[in-house]
Amino acid sequence: MGITRRSFLRRAAVVLAGVAAAGAGWSYLKGLAQSANEAPDQAASLPSAPVQQRTPQPHHWAFVVDTTKCIGCGKCVAACKEENNVPEDPHFNRTWVERYVIDEQGEAYVDSPDAGVHGFESWPVNSKYQNIQVVKSFFVSKLCNQCENPPCVQVCPVGATYKTEDGVILVNRSRCIGCRYCIQACPYGARFLDPNLRVADKCTWCYHRISKGMDPACVEVCPVGARMFGDPADPDSAVAKALRENRISVLKPNLGTRPQVFYIGLDQEVR
Amino acid sequence: MNGFIYPNEAETAWGLLIVLYPYITGLVAGAFVVSSLYHAFGIEKLRPLARFSLLTALAFVLIAPVPLLAHLGRPERAFEIFITPNFRSAMAGFGYILLFYTGLLVVETWLAFRRDIVRRSEAATGLRRAFYSALTLGSRDVSERALRLDAKVIRVLAIVGIPSAFLLHGYVGFLFGSIKANPWWSTPLMPIIFLISAIVSGVALLIVLYIVATALRRQPLNHSSVAELAKWLLLFLLVDLTLEGLEVLSMAYENEEGWAIVSQLLTQKLAVSFFGIQILLGAILPIVVLGGLALTDRLGQRVRTTLSLGTALLVLVGIFAMRWNVVIGGQLFSKSLRGFKSFAPPLTGNESVVEALIILSLPFFLLALFAVLLPPWEKEAALEGAGVPEPTVTIPIPSRLVGPRAR
Ligand code: SF4
Ligand code: SF4
């Protein structure tokens, strides 16, 4: 019996090795067949000139949204779509603008028509709340919070979603298998599956721009300065000043994700 | 859609195929437990089903990765999960666990059928002979001593396989239970609920398959095996219902931020599939019927078996509803906790009803194929072996495992 058992084990090992080799070969071939024009990594993927130097700067970036300033024009959403080749479809967004309307009874009405890309001025968006006694209303822009403790990075089975040394969360598009676990794990609805590349996508704070010393596109186009970006370690930066001079809060602090997008004037209704 | 949902939430990330995946792995884990009840714990009444349940588990485990693969955005990269796993991810272990468990099932099945493989290779000629000879892997010794050793190894595997099956399915529950972003998923009870419901579904499946297969073979049904399975089904159903009740009760009682939307989810969006199908038809009614059967011995065997078959079918539907209520239910409300969307799988195409039905039928075809290649029914296997001396191999069971059930 000993002999047969041994021979069985030997054979089993051969079979297993064969299966593994076949699998590896198959995935390698498929890898070769992938479209050549596909951007390998969000960090270097974007339409502007490729980043020459990608060594992370000794920064730790932060983003500040001043909800008291936002006028809901939607320029940031449009600029983001253009800068980052985000699909036109309003169901895929790296950033969006929400409108909050609160009535006499304290009831909150929230909407974000077409993710706010066209603003809120046109009919019927504009006239929607005519029958309500509005007590207060405001706009809140949303984007990836580049969480210090990001659940999306934690759950990614292949490590395609990762954190850069300067604190930005990126998706490596050549590694993502499109399982969408990160979309489930993000508490903020910041992620989507790119309908063309079939991989996860989300805001990068325009990593290709910030690593060259520029501001993210949304920050640059905001006409009222409701979006600020920079390194809080630099005392002269707009974010450092905003963080110093205001009472700030983050979204869903109870989840322990430690967002790096800080809000000024956040209402308790905002989630 | 009513209320507010984040713009990116309009698309439902996980569709029907991800409902199917825990359903299938659950059936695997459950079928394996049934086979182990005999192979590991010597429950004699389940002996007629032991080999068949092993084949069932094997057929389903081989199909388990299919819905996942079909769902991936980039299925050609699926292998990355083995090559570059991120071990902080609950999902990364999946490939390894499934591989290990599949391997275990293959080895156990091979050992359980080795004698039949050898016999068939000896009795057959030509291609058939070559096929079975290859299947023997060169191990042709079917002496009593060898078979006894086989039985021992099978028993070890059957025992090792139980925690592995628990790992496989408890882990699927953890995938959902560990998502703190989702108040309907995020509960430490999730793995254990998935595990118990897996066993429930596997036992129910075997009741159905055993009765159907016996009818197809025009063989007399072993009613006491069905009755035994029905008892186990009742036991696990009771535990399952308790856990599910506990889950909702504690969510309601703690009444945290998420409960407002989860309670609406249950009473409005999932009213039919949760209270109606999962709880009432899939658990309470079966418990009443099976409980009644356990309490009385008045009814005739045929009636009892028919009632067990009916409840088993209800349970199978109920557990599917449970998977749906978790996977789809958890995506019907916005993480802004402000609104709902609706979801209906497309009839054809990607992630469609047709695709799901095809995938769900695959393990049954595979099982039918296995049943042709390897004789799942001991008696018939024994007849085949007429001429070959029949060693009587009983599985040695340590006395502490032999309870009153194993009489
Ligand atoms: S906001 Fe979402 S996508 Fe962005 S880092 Fe946090 S969890 Fe990840
Ligand atoms: S979809 Fe891509 S980035 Fe997201 S968890 Fe899956 S593999 Fe990682």
Side-chain angles (χ1 to χ4, degrees), chain A residues 144-147 150-152 169 186-188 190-191 202:
Chain A
C144 169
N145 289 288
Q146 315 292 357
C147 305
C152 56
I169 313 300
C186 171
Y188 306 99
R191 288 177 165 256
K202 68 165 195 72

Side-chain angles (χ1 to χ4, degrees), chain A residues 152 155-158 160-161 171 175-183 191 193 200:
Chain A
C152 56
V155 301
C156 178
V158 294
T161 287
V171 181
R175 287 263 211 102
C176 172
I177 60 176
C179 68
R180 288 161 255 192
Y181 201 16
C182 54
I183 301 177
R191 288 177 165 256
L193 191 84

Side-chain angles (χ1 to χ4, degrees), chain A residues 16-45:
Chain A
L16 271 183
V19 169
W26 179 64
S27 99
Y28 176 69
L29 284 178
K30 289 286 193 162
L32 286 185
Q34 273 163 28
S35 54
N37 59 4
E38 183 180 312
D41 191 333
Q42 276 194 327
S45 67

Side-chain angles (χ1 to χ4, degrees), chain A residues 69-249:
Chain A
K69 285 189 183 154
C70 179
I71 54 171
C73 67
K75 294 241 182 319
C76 48
V77 183
C80 174
K81 293 229 172 196
E82 180 154 343
E83 175 71 22
N84 296 303
N85 267 343
V86 178
E88 287 294 319
D89 186 331
H91 296 141
F92 306 105
N93 306 280
R94 288 184 174 199
T95 185
W96 66 98
V97 181
E98 296 170 1
R99 170 173 66 177
Y100 287 73
V101 173
I102 299 177
D103 73 2
E104 275 185 326
Q105 280 77 43
E107 183 83 33
Y109 300 83
V110 188
D111 66 351
S112 180
D114 290 343
V117 68
H118 306 302
F120 295 78
E121 277 188 319
S122 64
W123 192 90
V125 173
N126 189 22
S127 53
K128 198 166 160 188
Y129 296 118
Q130 263 168 358
N131 304 326
I132 295 173
Q133 281 298 323
V134 178
V135 172
K136 56 179 170 181
S137 77
F138 47 86
F139 300 102
V140 179
S141 59
K142 296 271 187 86
L143 64 161
C144 169
N145 289 288
Q146 315 292 357
C147 305
E148 187 68 33
N149 188 7
C152 56
V153 172
Q154 186 182 26
V155 301
C156 178
V158 294
T161 287
Y162 65 101
K163 191 190 204 169
T164 64
E165 274 169 49
D166 40 1
V168 181
I169 313 300
L170 299 178
V171 181
N172 185 333
R173 291 168 166 174
S174 61
R175 287 263 211 102
C176 172
I177 60 176
C179 68
R180 288 161 255 192
Y181 201 16
C182 54
I183 301 177
Q184 305 290 4
C186 171
Y188 306 99
R191 288 177 165 256
F192 57 94
L193 191 84
D194 186 305
N196 307 313
L197 298 174
R198 315 277 309 148
V199 295
D201 197 55
K202 68 165 195 72
C203 162
T204 65
W205 281 355
C206 285
Y207 200 68
H208 58 297
R209 292 170 59 96
I210 62 175
S211 17
K212 285 194 281 186
M214 300 157 81
D215 270 340
C218 57
V219 173
E220 197 167 287
V221 299
C222 179
V224 293
R227 290 175 175 246
M228 288 160 268
F229 175 82
D231 188 343
D234 169 9
D236 298 330
S237 69
V239 287
K241 196 161 168 285
L243 292 175
R244 236 182 1 246
E245 294 173 356
N246 293 281
R247 302 187 183 177
I248 51 159
S249 43

